[in-house]
Amino acid sequence: MYGPSCFDEIRPALLHGLIDEHPLGTVITHGDAGLDANHIPFVIDAADADAVAGAVADAVAGAPFGILRAHVARANPLWRHEGETLVVFQGPSAYITPALYEDKKINGKVVPTYNYAVVHAHGPLRAIEDPAWILALLARLTARHEGTQRTPWTMDDAPPDFIERLVEMIVGIEIPVTRMHGKWKVSQNRSQNDQRTVMAAMDEPMAQTMRRRAEI
């Protein structure tokens, strides 16, 4: 991913934070038919080899930037993919009018731009067909996304045999992240005054993205 060094972001707290808040990833693979893309919600776990054992520890050791986990329909050929995988997570974005810049009034030498934050995660994809693993992931995803609902739905609300049949129709996937690169283009190449003016003009998601980069 191209980007001037001032926009580069490699701090795990920021990268994982964006994925937590914007979990829908674009999974890009290359196979015999060429490029393919799928859109899948993920969870990411930090690499903590001390907290696990055995084969799981070996997997974590090969994922210095964490492990992405999700599930797909068994009918989706993605889970059979072998080789490198790229997952792109898009955070907040916003058009920036040059009218916000000091130089607009001084010399007019300003142009529009776009602010955004993205994360690119690379790693090999592996399929997991263990029903217990899939059920645990489903419970975790449900708790994560239902937690903000007024009346949260739980898996216990559905008949057990119904859930069992659905589990048979999906496959878990893991992507041990071997490379992770973020790009936070949030006006940091502008003056401090311009940055404050831009932040004040943004909606809360974009303003929060700008603040968080400065705080961490």
Side-chain angles (χ1 to χ4, degrees):
M1 173 171 55
Y2 166 78
S5 59
C6 65
F7 299 143
D8 283 348
E9 187 54 68
I10 60 173
R11 290 172 290 180
L14 271 179
L15 302 179
H16 285 206
L18 185 145
I19 294 172
D20 285 338
E21 293 179 4
H22 305 274
L24 184 65
T26 301
V27 184
I28 301 168
T29 55
H30 188 276
D32 294 339
L35 287 172
D36 192 20
N38 286 267
H39 306 277
I40 301 168
F42 283 89
V43 292
I44 186 162
D45 291 318
D48 184 5
D50 293 336
V52 294
V56 177
D58 293 338
V60 170
F65 299 99
I67 300 178
L68 289 166
R69 294 185 169 97
H71 65 86
V72 297
R74 187 170 289 275
N76 186 338
L78 174 66
W79 68 273
R80 300 182 185 277
H81 173 73
E82 297 180 356
E84 183 76 359
T85 302
L86 166 63
V87 188
V88 178
F89 295 92
Q90 173 75 58
S93 62
Y95 171 80
I96 307 300
T97 172
L100 295 171
Y101 299 148
E102 287 181 300
D103 284 348
K104 168 67 166 60
K105 300 174 183 177
I106 298 172
N107 54 38
K109 295 179 180 180
V110 291
V111 293
T113 190
Y114 225 86
N115 278 5
Y116 57 89
V118 296
V119 173
H120 288 193
H122 302 254
L125 183 150
R126 58 173 174 247
I128 300 177
E129 299 185 76
D130 175 21
W133 188 99
I134 295 172
L135 274 171
L137 177 66
L138 294 177
R140 183 178 174 188
L141 286 168
T142 299
R144 163 74 173 80
H145 295 289
E146 286 288 329
T148 58
Q149 301 300 312
R150 179 173 299 178
T151 307
W153 179 88
T154 71
M155 291 170 61
D156 291 337
D157 292 336
D161 59 337
F162 174 74
I163 296 294
E164 289 176 10
R165 287 197 302 273
L166 289 182
V167 168
E168 294 173 356
M169 299 169 64
I170 61 179
V171 178
I173 61 172
E174 278 191 342
I175 301 174
V177 183
T178 57
R179 286 190 293 141
M180 182 176 278
H181 182 202
K183 185 174 180 181
W184 258 244
K185 184 179 177 297
V186 291
S187 300
Q188 62 267 51
N189 59 327
R190 304 298 307 184
S191 69
Q192 288 294 317
N193 188 62
D194 280 351
Q195 290 183 47
R196 287 190 291 269
T197 303
V198 169
M199 188 183 301
M202 295 296 98
D203 61 15
E204 182 54 27
M206 189 72 244
Q208 184 181 58
T209 299
M210 297 178 71
R211 285 195 300 271
R212 191 167 294 169
R213 178 189 177 278
E215 293 168 354
I216 292 181

